[in-house]
Amino acid sequence: MDKTKRKAVIAGNWKMNKTAGEGKELIEALLPAVVDAGCGVVICPPFTSIPAAVELTKGSRLSVGAQNVHFEKNGAFTGEVSADMLTELGVEYAIVGHSERRQYFGETDESVNLRAKAAVAAGLTAIVCVGESLAQREQGVTMELVRLQTKVALRDVSAEELKKVILAYEPVWAIGTGRTATAEQAEEVCAAIRGVLGELYGQQAAEGVTIQYGGSMNAGNAAELLSKPNVDGGLIGGASLKPADFAEIVKAASA
Ligand code: 13P
């Protein structure tokens, strides 16, 4: 497995944290901390902080992503934001299908697929999240489930469009719990995801796709997780709100 064929990307998912003012302070603290980053670094603040985030990060190592994107171009979809609205602002990435969206807002594999397609069609890089619950892991269906989630999320996504897709393996039981998957567990599932990509697009294309791990990744465990051959980056929640911790994770991915 040749990791040089793909880009390491660390993305911070701020979730519903930080007002616009607080977000500005966080970005100002992050900028000097990641100035030497040797990997892609993305921050995904709430929509309200996006214009300021794009402005503040211009010419820096930081790119800006959204935490969600709707699949229609416009229309009567109260509370939603389209891909064009994001790209016009200078947003480059969008998280799609995060487990919190699936759990609390009724997202399904099908809607995740529609959102991923809309994101890549507009030129965004979609960070597509997959992962099992604790009950599913205990039942032994992790691989089947993650394979299915990956396949459905990528339905009708072309090989060309796949270049604008990142997969994020986020076991639900590890998110915000402090209970990280072991590096072996992360590697096993990330490798399975790459296996599905290989079946769908061929091995060469699959080798070019960045696959992140997410779920209580922090300054202390990032290096070990990222040392695994199929773990190319991280999707970071809690630790992305702490500049020193986030910078440490970025450093681990840059090594
Ligand atoms: P934590 O890093 O807080 O566990 O969150 C992970 C996550 O959900 C990132 O999208």
Side-chain angles (χ1 to χ4, degrees):
M1 193 53 58
D2 183 359
K3 282 183 112 163
T4 60
K5 290 190 176 148
R6 47 192 177 261
K7 189 173 162 191
V9 179
I10 298 296
N13 174 9
W14 293 10
K15 309 193 179 184
M16 196 174 74
N17 291 297
K18 305 292 175 189
T19 64
E22 291 164 348
K24 190 168 173 280
E25 280 176 29
L26 177 54
I27 293 165
E28 281 164 355
L30 278 173
L31 283 168
V34 300
V35 77
D36 296 324
C39 64
V41 190
V42 184
I43 52 167
C44 302
F47 288 128
T48 45
S49 284
I50 282 180
V54 171
E55 207 45 49
L56 287 166
T57 58
K58 268 201 184 118
S60 81
R61 306 290 318 190
L62 283 174
S63 301
V64 178
Q67 296 175 19
N68 192 17
V69 58
H70 197 260
F71 40 84
E72 294 292 348
K73 283 191 99 51
N74 50 49
F77 300 99
T78 302
E80 292 284 331
V81 168
S82 75
D84 290 345
M85 293 172 186
L86 295 171
T87 54
E88 192 202 68
L89 288 179
V91 171
E92 294 174 72
Y93 292 79
I95 299 172
V96 175
H98 190 280
S99 66
E100 287 149 18
R101 299 292 318 168
R102 296 176 190 253
Q103 192 177 346
Y104 305 126
F105 303 100
E107 294 265 354
T108 62
D109 292 337
E110 286 71 26
S111 67
V112 171
N113 171 241
L114 293 175
R115 288 179 197 265
K117 280 194 300 185
V120 295
L124 294 165
T125 294
I127 302 177
V128 177
C129 303
V130 297
E132 81 289 2
S133 67
L134 185 58
Q136 288 161 336
R137 175 157 284 266
E138 285 173 347
Q139 205 194 335
V141 297
T142 297
M143 292 304 176
E144 283 157 270
L145 183 92
V146 169
R147 282 179 58 86
L148 180 80
Q149 287 177 331
T150 305
K151 272 192 176 173
V152 178
L154 296 176
R155 183 165 51 207
D156 296 332
V157 171
S158 68
E160 194 51 36
E161 288 171 326
L162 186 70
K163 295 177 184 157
K164 300 288 271 179
V165 173
I166 290 175
L167 268 297
Y169 168 52
E170 294 212 311
V172 179
W173 49 271
I175 295 177
T177 59
R179 191 178 155 188
T180 319
T182 63
E184 289 69 33
Q185 286 170 324
E187 167 63 17
E188 184 185 25
V189 182
C190 290
I193 292 170
R194 200 175 308 285
V196 177
L197 297 175
E199 289 165 28
L200 296 173
Y201 297 97
Q203 197 187 334
Q204 201 183 339
E207 297 236 339
V209 178
T210 298
I211 302 180
Q212 298 173 323
Y213 167 79
S216 299
M217 194 190 261
N218 58 42
N221 61 28
E224 193 189 350
L225 286 157
L226 292 164
S227 72
K228 292 295 175 187
N230 284 289
V231 181
D232 307 313
L235 185 53
I236 322 298
S240 73
L241 302 174
K242 301 176 195 152
D245 292 32
F246 191 63
E248 200 59 41
I249 299 170
V250 167
K251 205 168 127 195
S254 307

